[in-house]
Amino acid sequence: MGLQEESGRHESEKNTDTRRGDDHRGMDLWRTVLEDARQETSPHDFDKWISDLRFVADDNGTVLIAARDQLAYERINSQHRPMLRRAWRKADPRGRALKIACWKDIPADTRDLVAYPWSGDTEAAGQVETATPATSSHTPGRHGSAMSFETLIVGDTNRAAVRLAEVTVENKQVHADVALIYGRQGTGKTHILRSIEKAVIRQDDGRRVTYMSAEEFMTAFVDGARDGDTRRLKSQVRDNDLLLIDDLQWIANKKKTDEAFFASLRAVTAEGGRVILTADEAPGDLKGFSARMRGELMGAAAVEVGLPDQDMRRQIVSLHANLIQQGQPNFEIDEEMREKIVATVRGPGRDLCGVLYSLQSETRYGEIAPTFEMLCTVLRRQQGEYQAPSLDNIKRAAMRSYNLSKSEIESSSKSRNVCAPRQVAMYLCREMTDKSLPQIARSFCKKDHTTVIHAWRKVKGQLQTDPEMIRQVEQVREAVFDIQSEGNG
């Protein structure tokens, strides 16, 4: 079957495929898909991105859908494509493939046969009747539901950034109209921005909000500049009360994009709007920006998000295991398995989730229940074989945590400020390595290994009743892993 035009113009000829009745026409089915999409996404995302898609044609069994420009295509491709394809498979009894493309990338011979799909607001193709009420109790998609304040684990390492987000949602008066949330990849910066976006939309207080990655901005700007028309991008970015831009480092060393972004940022703040940015580094460490943009960053309210602490790790594992269990009832993670994940994975929350997703795959998505042995296999695959820290690195971790020098921790001082940290270090040397007691003693310049035994017994006893000792031991243990991750293990 050749190309069948169905973008709003009514063909006079009948379709000769007897398996395909009027109910199977692609354009009619696309309307059904859009109705399903309305229930799966937020009203904001549906109105801004999905409703603007247009049915183009059925080309040899592949149904072609067009996004107006590269910016829209990138958003659909990264956020909504799987949902749209699921809805299409459900709607189409013929099982045709669904292809979504940017209008300018569709072959010229196809575009020549089809009128420009956005030539009129009443065009039949891809439109959903405006009389159809949008439900307020829509079921969010997987990405949308996962990134909200309800699923954001808050602890000491991200509390300041989350408070900034809450103040933004509450629309409280602040002096800084630009803020920068920075931290290493995977620490939840995108989660915070998405939570702000979702909460402001749900609040429905009249504020216009847009979330966009810096990569999306750069792609849309380059495409618009090449076509000689950046008006849509300017409208998309500047007409906001709240602009959320993720991964700012993407536009570093891009002079023209830097200039366009600076102009857009100033346009938003000049009208009383706010801009929240995220980046991998602090303002002073960001390189490759113009003097004007760097000045804007240096004047922003900067707040850091760090790696989750031990308690946050446990909460992250429990939360995401429960989310998986909602669709896979036998995905049960017991206390031993949770503690194994927390003790083994030292990276950001994304790494913890990666273990759970890999474990889910190992269970063949519900065919079998996860086991501890299965988890160990996944951890070895992700983390590699466990490398015990050196005695020197454990000493360095204690020195870093207690602000001691090497000579102090190896001294014979009986001062509590020195003796207690030394005992914690000796305890961890025995717990985290397979070194002998005499070897540990010699590393601390002690002749008698009974000093190590005494330290180990004392700390072990205090751990049973003293919360402060628990905190201190965990702090030094975390410092050990930090030193190892720095390449000193």
Side-chain angles (χ1 to χ4, degrees):
M1 171 176 149
L3 181 68
Q4 301 295 322
E5 179 188 343
E6 296 188 75
S7 64
R9 292 187 288 181
H10 300 284
E11 306 107 347
S12 58
E13 66 272 19
K14 285 187 177 181
N15 194 311
T16 57
D17 189 341
T18 57
R19 294 173 303 168
R20 181 182 178 192
D22 289 341
D23 289 341
H24 297 174
R25 289 177 57 80
M27 189 163 56
D28 295 330
L29 295 178
W30 179 243
R31 292 193 184 98
T32 301
V33 169
L34 290 177
E35 288 295 346
D36 285 348
R38 186 191 289 275
Q39 308 303 316
E40 290 276 339
T41 56
S42 70
H44 176 269
D45 268 15
F46 182 85
D47 293 339
K48 182 170 281 191
W49 304 107
I50 298 174
S51 67
D52 198 48
L53 294 173
R54 294 293 183 265
F55 185 98
V56 175
D58 179 348
D59 188 1
N60 290 320
T62 297
V63 172
L64 184 60
I65 304 298
R68 187 190 296 258
D69 52 31
Q70 191 68 25
L71 176 62
Y73 170 74
E74 293 287 350
R75 177 55 59 90
I76 293 295
N77 191 50
S78 63
Q79 300 294 330
H80 303 299
R81 182 189 293 270
M83 178 271 295
L84 291 171
R85 283 183 167 172
R86 285 196 305 271
W88 177 262
R89 286 195 297 268
K90 174 184 173 184
D92 185 15
R94 294 185 57 203
R96 288 165 289 184
L98 181 73
K99 179 180 179 180
I100 302 173
C102 182
W103 172 253
K104 69 179 179 59
D105 294 332
I106 294 174
D109 56 349
T110 300
R111 283 187 283 131
D112 289 343
L113 289 171
V114 181
Y116 182 65
W118 297 273
S119 57
D121 291 339
T122 59
E123 192 82 35
Q127 294 286 353
V128 178
E129 294 297 329
T130 57
T132 304
T135 175
S136 59
S137 58
H138 66 280
T139 302
R142 182 180 68 85
H143 292 290
S145 62
M147 291 190 180
S148 65
F149 282 113
E150 290 76 15
T151 58
L152 183 60
I153 301 300
V154 182
D156 291 340
T157 61
N158 68 351
R159 198 178 308 280
V162 173
R163 184 55 189 153
L164 167 66
E166 292 170 344
V167 167
T168 301
V169 171
E170 295 163 5
N171 204 17
K172 291 185 176 179
Q173 184 177 4
V174 294
H175 293 290
D177 48 20
V178 178
L180 174 69
I181 300 172
Y182 68 92
R184 63 175 287 186
Q185 185 180 9
T187 49
K189 302 185 299 293
T190 298
H191 195 145
I192 292 173
L193 286 197
R194 285 296 197 178
S195 298
I196 295 172
E197 179 195 32
K198 176 172 285 190
V200 171
I201 292 170
R202 185 188 302 155
Q203 203 162 274
D204 194 22
D205 58 4
R207 278 185 291 171
R208 297 160 297 178
V209 57
T210 288
Y211 164 90
M212 180 185 297
S213 70
E215 184 183 15
E216 285 179 321
F217 180 93
M218 179 178 67
T219 301
F221 172 74
V222 170
D223 287 346
R226 186 175 56 233
D227 297 338
D229 186 0
T230 59
R231 287 175 297 178
R232 176 170 166 79
L233 173 63
K234 289 179 180 178
S235 174
Q236 180 71 32
V237 174
R238 297 183 183 187
D239 294 342
N240 286 285
D241 301 293
L242 181 57
L243 179 62
L244 311 172
I245 300 293
D246 208 2
D247 290 325
L248 183 67
Q249 66 276 357
W250 271 97
I251 64 174
N253 299 304
K254 309 290 192 303
K255 181 179 178 181
K256 293 295 184 182
T257 306
D258 180 301
E259 292 174 356
F261 185 80
F262 176 80
S264 297
L265 182 152
R266 277 295 178 88
V268 172
T269 57
E271 295 296 324
R274 294 185 189 176
V275 178
I276 300 183
L277 313 168
T278 72
D280 289 348
E281 296 181 290
D285 296 323
L286 286 170
K287 309 298 182 185
F289 290 94
S290 65
R292 291 195 304 176
M293 190 64 211
R294 185 171 175 78
E296 199 71 41
L297 295 174
M298 296 301 289
V303 59
E304 183 179 12
V305 288
L307 291 174
D309 59 28
Q310 202 81 340
D311 185 56
M312 291 173 68
R313 293 177 195 276
R314 293 188 179 93
Q315 293 183 59
I316 290 170
V317 172
S318 297
L319 170 68
H320 287 275
N322 289 336
L323 289 174
I324 294 174
Q325 193 175 31
Q326 290 175 13
Q328 184 180 325
N330 68 351
F331 193 82
E332 296 183 4
I333 303 296
D334 60 26
E335 186 72 15
E336 182 185 19
M337 295 170 73
R338 187 185 70 173
E339 291 304 312
K340 178 67 174 177
I341 297 172
V342 170
T344 305
V345 181
R346 313 311 309 173
R350 184 178 298 173
D351 292 2
L352 295 166
C353 293
V355 170
L356 294 173
Y357 300 152
S358 297
L359 184 59
Q360 184 186 21
S361 175
E362 200 76 13
T363 67
R364 299 191 292 275
Y365 297 95
E367 287 188 9
I368 54 179
T371 65
F372 187 82
E373 291 71 23
M374 203 181 291
L375 172 62
C376 290
T377 299
V378 168
L379 288 170
R380 281 196 301 271
R381 190 182 303 148
Q382 188 205 58
Q383 301 288 308
E385 294 294 337
Y386 173 72
Q387 297 292 325
S390 66
L391 297 179
D392 187 55
N393 276 347
I394 295 176
K395 281 199 302 182
R396 289 173 60 200
M399 290 155 52
R400 179 183 295 184
S401 298
Y402 291 101
N403 196 25
L404 296 176
S405 67
K406 186 172 185 291
S407 60
E408 285 176 318
I409 202 166
E410 292 178 354
S411 72
S412 58
S413 171
K414 302 296 183 181
S415 167
R416 177 169 176 76
N417 292 337
V418 176
C419 187
R422 184 168 56 234
Q423 290 175 339
V424 169
M426 288 180 172
Y427 169 83
L428 288 174
C429 283
R430 187 175 183 191
E431 289 292 312
M432 299 181 74
T433 75
D434 58 0
K435 302 298 183 182
S436 66
L437 294 174
Q439 286 176 307
I440 296 173
R442 284 195 297 271
S443 74
F444 287 88
C445 300
K446 305 301 177 188
K447 295 180 181 180
D448 191 349
H449 68 269
T450 58
T451 304
V452 180
I453 296 176
H454 172 73
W456 180 80
R457 287 174 176 168
K458 183 173 182 179
V459 173
K460 187 175 178 64
Q462 287 179 296
L463 287 174
Q464 307 303 313
T465 58
D466 187 354
E468 178 59 21
M469 177 56 71
I470 295 173
R471 186 194 67 79
Q472 290 184 29
V473 169
E474 284 300 313
Q475 180 181 359
V476 177
R477 193 194 303 271
E478 289 292 314
V480 171
F481 289 121
D482 287 343
I483 289 172
Q484 284 188 291
S485 69
E486 292 166 4
N488 300 310

